[in-house]
Amino acid sequence: MAAKKQAKQTVAKTRKSSAKKSHSKAIDWANLPFAYVKTSKRFVATYKNGTWSDGKLTTDDTITLSECAAVLQYAQTCFEGLKAYTTEDGRIVAFRPNLNGERMEKSCRGLEMPVYPKEQFVEAVLATVRANKKFVPPYGSGASLYIRPYMFGSSAVIGVKPAIEYEFRIFVTPVGPYFKGGIKPIVVRISDFDRAAPHGTGNLKAGLNYAMSLHNIVDAHNNGFAENIYLDPQTHTYVEETGGANILFVTSDGKIVTPKSDSILPSITKKSLMHVAETMLHIPVEERKVAKSEIAQFHECGLCGTAAVISPIGKIVDHGKEIVFPGCAHEMGPVLRKLYATLTGIQMGHIPAPEGWLYEIA
């Protein structure tokens, strides 16, 4: 047993040592903003004549397009977002890229774009991270490597129709923690605008959905709010999501309730949190329609997504009426904190990950 323990410690030390060597980039990891930083390599594959190229890594970070490219004229583009981390024992891992590949396949089908197969998507993600190992922030820095796969119509289109040529690309960028100075409850508002049309593209990770929210988020910030909460676009009576995150509610007896709708983008972070809640923490979970009229009854509230994992909401303002969540009035509530600690513990290697969640970068 002692020999086994010694061997384990030796492996961990070796991994930590090699991780330090790979993090030789002259970057101030502790003060890294949540912003774009150019890295060494990116992945590019092109679709022409009905087939995808093999794809390659390149140092060229520029894109040359026709002025009439479909992405510029009709916003034919979709994207994904995920992260890679350095774990406590020095491994570099990507978090559930297979689910991002599956979601991108769905987005492509919904936007009449050629599907980039999930298996190739995962291989390309891992290859891009591997090629940029020196940009993966070290363990304990609070930073991570953000991974952005995206696809767009590149051929010229003047009539309203899909492009016939496409580019699939991946770039990575090291980012600092989403919250500088710790996680504090935010104040959000109920929006009068819609982020998606009924029976439209709200459940796809399409660039056009985010363009729809830009004016509204600037207006929210100008009025002192961190985010907008969008209601269902058909009746404006049910809670859906924000411009870039799903919503979690917690009842006074500790049950997690999350809104359900065909126009909500299915969050991989939320899916992971719900699995953690049910199978690891034994917290009951309910996904259902949540009426705007009932949100004042909840004890905790938060947003969830790749960038911050969970952002606690202290207060929702509904046209002057303030709804305060007692469990998150001053800090992240106990149920959300337990969820946050467990999922980030898995990502950082403190807690054993469910099978297939972490993809190690060789």
Side-chain angles (χ1 to χ4, degrees):
M1 287 295 285
K4 257 187 185 177
K5 190 177 179 184
Q6 182 64 41
K8 220 174 182 183
Q9 288 172 345
T10 303
V11 169
K13 280 179 185 174
T14 304
R15 278 175 165 163
K16 281 183 180 177
S17 173
S18 62
K20 281 178 185 174
K21 286 176 189 172
S22 68
H23 298 133
S24 59
K25 273 288 170 191
I27 294 175
D28 183 1
W29 302 110
N31 295 301
L32 198 62
F34 195 88
Y36 174 75
V37 175
K38 181 182 171 182
T39 55
S40 301
K41 298 280 184 74
R42 61 273 314 133
F43 180 86
V44 184
T46 55
Y47 182 87
K48 290 183 181 181
N49 302 318
T51 59
W52 283 105
S53 69
D54 289 339
K56 64 179 182 179
L57 291 163
T58 176
T59 58
D60 187 1
D61 65 329
T62 61
I63 297 171
T64 302
L65 284 175
S66 163
E67 62 186 350
C68 198
V71 63
L72 302 178
Q73 303 307 317
Y74 303 120
Q76 197 184 18
T77 181
C78 62
F79 69 97
E80 279 298 323
L82 64 155
K83 285 182 175 180
Y85 308 86
T86 301
T87 62
E88 188 176 22
D89 62 1
R91 292 174 298 142
I92 294 175
V93 297
F95 184 71
R96 308 194 82 179
N98 57 315
L99 296 190
N100 292 92
E102 288 174 10
R103 190 168 65 179
M104 193 167 200
E105 286 185 343
K106 183 179 177 184
S107 294
C108 288
R109 291 188 183 100
L111 295 169
E112 286 299 321
M113 301 169 77
V115 166
Y116 196 78
K118 177 182 73 173
E119 294 76 17
Q120 289 172 236
F121 176 101
V122 171
E123 286 175 14
V125 165
L126 301 183
T128 309
V129 175
R130 192 177 300 116
N132 292 283
K133 272 187 174 183
K134 290 182 179 179
F135 290 93
V136 182
Y139 173 77
S141 64
S144 55
L145 189 75
Y146 187 84
I147 306 164
R148 172 52 60 86
Y150 60 109
M151 189 191 299
F152 56 88
S154 56
S155 57
V157 174
I158 197 66
V160 182
K161 59 184 179 181
I164 58 171
E165 295 180 358
Y166 295 83
E167 288 193 26
F168 170 71
R169 288 177 168 257
I170 303 173
F171 68 81
V172 298
T173 180
V175 293
Y178 198 74
F179 295 108
K180 291 288 186 186
I183 301 171
K184 296 171 185 174
I186 58 175
V187 178
V188 302
R189 71 178 182 184
I190 299 286
S191 176
D192 289 321
F193 287 88
D194 296 326
R195 65 168 283 277
H199 315 297
T201 59
N203 63 337
L204 308 177
K205 202 162 178 65
L208 59 93
N209 294 337
Y210 294 81
M212 295 269 288
S213 70
L214 293 178
H215 167 72
N216 206 23
I217 191 62
V218 170
D219 183 68
H221 290 167
N222 288 342
N223 285 280
F225 300 101
E227 253 292 5
N228 295 291
I229 286 185
Y230 294 97
L231 303 177
D232 74 287
Q234 194 141 11
T235 70
H236 286 191
T237 56
Y238 294 99
V239 177
E240 293 220 326
E241 62 176 313
T242 69
N246 282 189
I247 301 173
L248 305 173
F249 295 105
V250 181
T251 62
S252 56
D253 60 354
K255 179 197 287 185
I256 297 168
V257 178
T258 182
K260 184 177 184 178
S261 164
D262 290 338
S263 50
I264 291 176
L265 178 74
S267 163
I268 291 163
T269 301
K270 185 183 83 172
K271 184 184 179 85
S272 303
L273 288 168
M274 297 305 93
H275 179 88
V276 163
E278 287 189 299
T279 65
M280 298 175 71
L281 301 176
H282 308 294
I283 298 171
V285 172
E286 186 178 9
E287 187 177 14
R288 62 170 172 82
K289 284 190 169 186
V290 176
K292 184 182 85 164
S293 58
E294 68 174 298
I295 59 179
Q297 301 169 18
F298 292 109
H299 188 69
E300 297 176 41
C301 181
L303 307 181
C304 63
T306 300
V309 182
I310 296 177
S311 313
I313 295 175
K315 185 194 300 181
I316 293 177
V317 178
D318 181 11
H319 301 85
K321 178 187 173 185
E322 295 188 351
I323 302 167
V324 177
F325 298 97
C328 289
H330 305 292
E331 59 184 4
M332 186 183 288
V335 174
L336 293 182
R337 184 170 291 280
K338 196 180 290 186
L339 271 179
Y340 176 86
T342 307
L343 189 60
T344 55
I346 289 169
Q347 292 168 337
M348 294 294 107
H350 304 308
I351 297 170
E355 189 176 353
W357 279 30
L358 298 182
Y359 285 63
E360 189 166 346
I361 312 300

